[in-house]
Amino acid sequence: MTSTATVQYELATTFHRALTTRDWALMREIMAPEVSWTLPGDNAISDPVTGIDEVIARAELIASYGLTFTLEHVLVSRDNMALGLHNTARRGELVLDEHLATVCTLRDGRIVAIETYLSDLDGMNAFFARDAAR
């Protein structure tokens, strides 16, 4: 791997590790203060957020639903990277089973923007419904 690809891979795997272990301090280390995160849909986690505190709060909220975040691929471009994930969870009768790409824009070795692409938007909206009890 090139040195750029090595940094991208390390950022991707660190992001995944921080999310799965709920290590918010580690997540804070790899993100720029002005980081933003955009997710599609109309649900409790879909509003865009900006700033490291809001992005980490969003990650905490997502993790609080008990998801299993399986890292399937790390994809790199010339300057940025993406995580190919398979997220699963069950809450009562609701089942979440979605594939997603979490695309990260990088600058100076840190994540400055995250945009998530989903395979099952209707399933995500149902699972993360705004009025749903976790």
Side-chain angles (χ1 to χ4, degrees):
M1 268 192 275
T2 66
S3 61
T4 300
T6 300
V7 169
Q8 293 164 322
Y9 185 82
E10 288 175 1
L11 282 170
T13 57
T14 300
F15 178 87
H16 180 255
R17 183 171 64 253
L19 187 59
T20 59
T21 63
R22 299 178 183 209
D23 187 341
W24 312 124
L26 179 60
M27 188 171 279
R28 187 175 293 278
E29 290 176 20
I30 63 170
M31 294 186 180
E34 70 277 11
V35 65
S36 63
W37 194 349
T38 304
L39 291 105
D42 182 20
N43 57 68
I45 66 167
S46 64
D47 294 333
V49 293
T50 301
I52 197 163
D53 292 332
E54 294 215 14
V55 167
I56 290 174
R58 173 60 44 82
E60 289 175 319
L61 178 60
I62 293 168
S64 76
Y65 281 83
L67 274 66
T68 298
F69 306 96
T70 303
L71 179 61
E72 294 183 334
H73 304 284
V74 173
L75 306 132
V76 298
S77 70
R78 189 184 88 168
D79 299 313
N80 303 301
M81 57 82 177
L83 293 81
L85 297 167
H86 181 201
N87 291 354
T88 56
R90 178 178 293 274
R91 190 167 45 78
E93 297 295 314
L94 294 172
V95 175
L96 181 71
D97 186 355
E98 64 184 358
H99 293 269
L100 58 133
T102 297
V103 179
C104 299
T105 303
L106 309 177
R107 187 175 63 237
D108 299 326
R110 291 184 176 258
I111 298 170
V112 296
I114 306 166
E115 185 171 6
T116 300
Y117 297 75
L118 299 169
S119 66
D120 181 10
L121 190 54
D122 291 339
M124 180 183 161
N125 285 335
F127 192 82
F128 294 105
R130 291 186 191 277
D131 58 351
R134 284 173 287 193

Short mmCIF file of all heavy atoms in Angstrom, two decimals, residues 1 5-7 9 14 20 23-24 28 32 40 44-45 48-50 56 64-66 68 78 101 103 105 108 117 128:
data_model
loop_
_atom_site.label_atom_id
_atom_site.label_comp_id
_atom_site.label_asym_id
_atom_site.label_seq_id
_atom_site.Cartn_x
_atom_site.Cartn_y
_atom_site.Cartn_z
N MET A 1 0.84 -1.18 0.00
CA MET A 1 0.00 0.00 0.00
C MET A 1 0.88 1.24 0.00
O MET A 1 1.92 1.25 0.63
CB MET A 1 -0.88 0.03 1.26
CG MET A 1 -2.23 -0.60 1.10
SD MET A 1 -3.36 -0.26 2.47
CE MET A 1 -2.90 -1.55 3.62
N ALA A 5 -2.62 5.45 1.17
CA ALA A 5 -3.58 4.37 1.37
C ALA A 5 -3.45 3.78 2.77
O ALA A 5 -4.45 3.40 3.39
CB ALA A 5 -3.41 3.29 0.31
N THR A 6 -2.24 3.71 3.29
CA THR A 6 -2.04 3.21 4.64
C THR A 6 -2.75 4.11 5.65
O THR A 6 -3.43 3.62 6.55
CB THR A 6 -0.53 3.12 4.97
OG1 THR A 6 0.08 2.23 4.04
CG2 THR A 6 -0.30 2.62 6.38
N VAL A 7 -2.61 5.41 5.51
CA VAL A 7 -3.29 6.36 6.40
C VAL A 7 -4.81 6.20 6.27
O VAL A 7 -5.52 6.16 7.28
CB VAL A 7 -2.86 7.81 6.10
CG1 VAL A 7 -3.74 8.81 6.84
CG2 VAL A 7 -1.40 8.01 6.46
N TYR A 9 -6.52 3.55 5.31
CA TYR A 9 -6.91 2.27 5.90
C TYR A 9 -6.90 2.36 7.42
O TYR A 9 -7.83 1.90 8.09
CB TYR A 9 -5.97 1.15 5.42
CG TYR A 9 -6.39 -0.20 5.91
CD1 TYR A 9 -7.39 -0.92 5.25
CD2 TYR A 9 -5.82 -0.76 7.05
CE1 TYR A 9 -7.79 -2.16 5.71
CE2 TYR A 9 -6.22 -1.99 7.52
CZ TYR A 9 -7.20 -2.69 6.84
OH TYR A 9 -7.60 -3.91 7.32
N THR A 14 -9.72 2.48 12.43
CA THR A 14 -9.84 3.15 13.74
C THR A 14 -11.26 3.66 13.95
O THR A 14 -11.82 3.53 15.05
CB THR A 14 -8.82 4.30 13.84
OG1 THR A 14 -7.51 3.76 13.70
CG2 THR A 14 -8.93 5.02 15.19
N THR A 20 -17.39 0.38 17.31
CA THR A 20 -17.80 -0.92 17.88
C THR A 20 -17.45 -1.04 19.37
O THR A 20 -18.14 -1.75 20.10
CB THR A 20 -17.17 -2.10 17.11
OG1 THR A 20 -15.75 -1.98 17.15
CG2 THR A 20 -17.66 -2.13 15.68
N ASP A 23 -15.56 3.78 21.92
CA ASP A 23 -14.42 4.55 22.41
C ASP A 23 -14.48 5.94 21.77
O ASP A 23 -13.84 6.22 20.76
CB ASP A 23 -13.12 3.83 22.04
CG ASP A 23 -11.89 4.48 22.65
OD1 ASP A 23 -11.97 5.67 23.06
OD2 ASP A 23 -10.84 3.82 22.70
N TRP A 24 -15.27 6.80 22.40
CA TRP A 24 -15.52 8.12 21.83
C TRP A 24 -14.27 9.01 21.87
O TRP A 24 -14.11 9.88 21.02
CB TRP A 24 -16.73 8.76 22.50
CG TRP A 24 -17.88 7.81 22.56
CD1 TRP A 24 -18.57 7.42 23.68
CD2 TRP A 24 -18.48 7.08 21.47
NE1 TRP A 24 -19.55 6.50 23.35
CE2 TRP A 24 -19.51 6.27 22.00
CE3 TRP A 24 -18.23 7.01 20.11
CZ2 TRP A 24 -20.29 5.43 21.22
CZ3 TRP A 24 -19.01 6.15 19.32
CH2 TRP A 24 -20.02 5.39 19.87
N ARG A 28 -12.71 10.89 18.65
CA ARG A 28 -12.37 12.31 18.69
C ARG A 28 -10.97 12.56 18.12
O ARG A 28 -10.73 13.57 17.46
CB ARG A 28 -12.48 12.81 20.13
CG ARG A 28 -12.33 14.28 20.32
CD ARG A 28 -12.58 14.67 21.77
NE ARG A 28 -13.96 14.45 22.16
CZ ARG A 28 -14.96 15.30 21.91
NH1 ARG A 28 -14.72 16.43 21.27
NH2 ARG A 28 -16.18 15.03 22.30
N ALA A 32 -11.64 16.00 12.62
CA ALA A 32 -11.40 17.44 12.73
C ALA A 32 -12.52 18.07 13.56
O ALA A 32 -13.65 17.56 13.57
CB ALA A 32 -11.38 18.06 11.34
N PRO A 40 -29.04 9.61 5.26
CA PRO A 40 -30.32 9.82 4.57
C PRO A 40 -31.50 9.42 5.46
O PRO A 40 -31.32 8.84 6.53
CB PRO A 40 -30.21 8.89 3.36
CG PRO A 40 -29.36 7.76 3.86
CD PRO A 40 -28.36 8.41 4.79
N ALA A 44 -34.66 9.17 13.62
CA ALA A 44 -33.96 9.78 14.76
C ALA A 44 -32.48 10.05 14.51
O ALA A 44 -31.87 10.84 15.22
CB ALA A 44 -34.12 8.89 15.98
N ILE A 45 -31.88 9.40 13.51
CA ILE A 45 -30.45 9.59 13.26
C ILE A 45 -30.15 10.26 11.93
O ILE A 45 -28.99 10.36 11.54
CB ILE A 45 -29.68 8.25 13.36
CG1 ILE A 45 -30.08 7.30 12.25
CG2 ILE A 45 -29.84 7.63 14.73
CD1 ILE A 45 -29.16 6.11 12.08
N PRO A 48 -28.62 15.96 9.45
CA PRO A 48 -27.18 16.25 9.37
C PRO A 48 -26.71 16.91 10.66
O PRO A 48 -27.44 17.69 11.28
CB PRO A 48 -27.07 17.23 8.19
CG PRO A 48 -28.32 17.04 7.40
CD PRO A 48 -29.38 16.65 8.40
N VAL A 49 -25.49 16.57 11.07
CA VAL A 49 -24.89 17.20 12.25
C VAL A 49 -23.51 17.73 11.88
O VAL A 49 -22.84 17.19 11.01
CB VAL A 49 -24.80 16.22 13.45
CG1 VAL A 49 -26.18 15.86 13.97
CG2 VAL A 49 -24.02 14.97 13.11
N THR A 50 -23.11 18.79 12.59
CA THR A 50 -21.82 19.42 12.33
C THR A 50 -21.13 19.70 13.66
O THR A 50 -21.77 20.12 14.62
CB THR A 50 -22.00 20.74 11.56
OG1 THR A 50 -22.66 20.45 10.32
CG2 THR A 50 -20.66 21.40 11.27
N ILE A 56 -20.04 12.90 17.46
CA ILE A 56 -19.86 11.84 18.45
C ILE A 56 -21.18 11.52 19.14
O ILE A 56 -21.49 10.35 19.39
CB ILE A 56 -18.73 12.20 19.44
CG1 ILE A 56 -17.40 12.12 18.67
CG2 ILE A 56 -18.73 11.26 20.65
CD1 ILE A 56 -16.19 12.57 19.44
N SER A 64 -26.31 3.11 20.59
CA SER A 64 -27.24 2.81 21.68
C SER A 64 -28.38 1.89 21.25
O SER A 64 -29.05 1.30 22.09
CB SER A 64 -27.80 4.10 22.28
OG SER A 64 -28.79 4.68 21.44
N TYR A 65 -28.59 1.74 19.95
CA TYR A 65 -29.62 0.85 19.44
C TYR A 65 -29.15 -0.60 19.36
O TYR A 65 -29.88 -1.46 18.89
CB TYR A 65 -30.10 1.32 18.05
CG TYR A 65 -31.06 2.48 18.08
CD1 TYR A 65 -30.60 3.79 18.20
CD2 TYR A 65 -32.43 2.27 17.97
CE1 TYR A 65 -31.48 4.86 18.21
CE2 TYR A 65 -33.32 3.33 17.98
CZ TYR A 65 -32.83 4.62 18.09
OH TYR A 65 -33.72 5.69 18.11
N GLY A 66 -27.92 -0.87 19.79
CA GLY A 66 -27.43 -2.25 19.85
C GLY A 66 -27.03 -2.85 18.52
O GLY A 66 -27.09 -4.07 18.36
N THR A 68 -24.84 -4.32 15.43
CA THR A 68 -23.59 -4.99 15.12
C THR A 68 -23.07 -4.37 13.84
O THR A 68 -23.77 -4.35 12.83
CB THR A 68 -23.82 -6.51 14.93
OG1 THR A 68 -24.31 -7.06 16.15
CG2 THR A 68 -22.54 -7.21 14.52
N ARG A 78 -8.20 8.39 -4.29
CA ARG A 78 -6.92 9.08 -4.27
C ARG A 78 -6.71 9.82 -2.95
O ARG A 78 -5.61 9.81 -2.39
CB ARG A 78 -6.83 10.07 -5.43
CG ARG A 78 -5.43 10.65 -5.59
CD ARG A 78 -5.40 11.67 -6.66
NE ARG A 78 -5.74 12.93 -5.99
CZ ARG A 78 -5.61 14.11 -6.52
NH1 ARG A 78 -5.20 14.22 -7.75
NH2 ARG A 78 -5.91 15.19 -5.87
N ALA A 101 -22.37 2.22 2.84
CA ALA A 101 -21.05 2.79 2.62
C ALA A 101 -20.98 4.07 3.44
O ALA A 101 -21.83 4.94 3.31
CB ALA A 101 -20.83 3.09 1.14
N VAL A 103 -18.76 7.06 3.68
CA VAL A 103 -17.73 7.73 2.90
C VAL A 103 -17.16 8.89 3.71
O VAL A 103 -17.91 9.75 4.19
CB VAL A 103 -18.32 8.23 1.55
CG1 VAL A 103 -17.26 8.96 0.74
CG2 VAL A 103 -18.92 7.06 0.77
N THR A 105 -14.47 12.07 3.94
CA THR A 105 -13.58 13.04 3.32
C THR A 105 -12.48 13.34 4.33
O THR A 105 -12.77 13.61 5.51
CB THR A 105 -14.36 14.32 2.96
OG1 THR A 105 -15.44 13.97 2.08
CG2 THR A 105 -13.45 15.33 2.28
N ASP A 108 -5.59 16.53 6.04
CA ASP A 108 -4.51 16.56 7.02
C ASP A 108 -4.58 15.38 7.98
O ASP A 108 -4.35 15.53 9.19
CB ASP A 108 -4.51 17.88 7.79
CG ASP A 108 -4.30 19.09 6.89
OD1 ASP A 108 -3.56 18.96 5.89
OD2 ASP A 108 -4.90 20.15 7.16
N TYR A 117 -24.32 6.11 2.85
CA TYR A 117 -25.21 5.62 1.79
C TYR A 117 -25.77 4.28 2.25
O TYR A 117 -25.01 3.43 2.72
CB TYR A 117 -24.44 5.42 0.49
CG TYR A 117 -23.85 6.68 -0.08
CD1 TYR A 117 -22.73 7.28 0.48
CD2 TYR A 117 -24.41 7.28 -1.20
CE1 TYR A 117 -22.18 8.44 -0.05
CE2 TYR A 117 -23.87 8.45 -1.74
CZ TYR A 117 -22.75 9.01 -1.16
OH TYR A 117 -22.21 10.15 -1.68
N PHE A 128 -35.15 3.15 13.21
CA PHE A 128 -34.75 4.34 13.95
C PHE A 128 -35.86 5.39 14.01
O PHE A 128 -35.58 6.58 14.10
CB PHE A 128 -33.50 4.97 13.33
CG PHE A 128 -32.27 4.12 13.44
CD1 PHE A 128 -31.77 3.42 12.35
CD2 PHE A 128 -31.58 4.03 14.64
CE1 PHE A 128 -30.63 2.65 12.44
CE2 PHE A 128 -30.43 3.26 14.76
CZ PHE A 128 -29.96 2.56 13.65
#
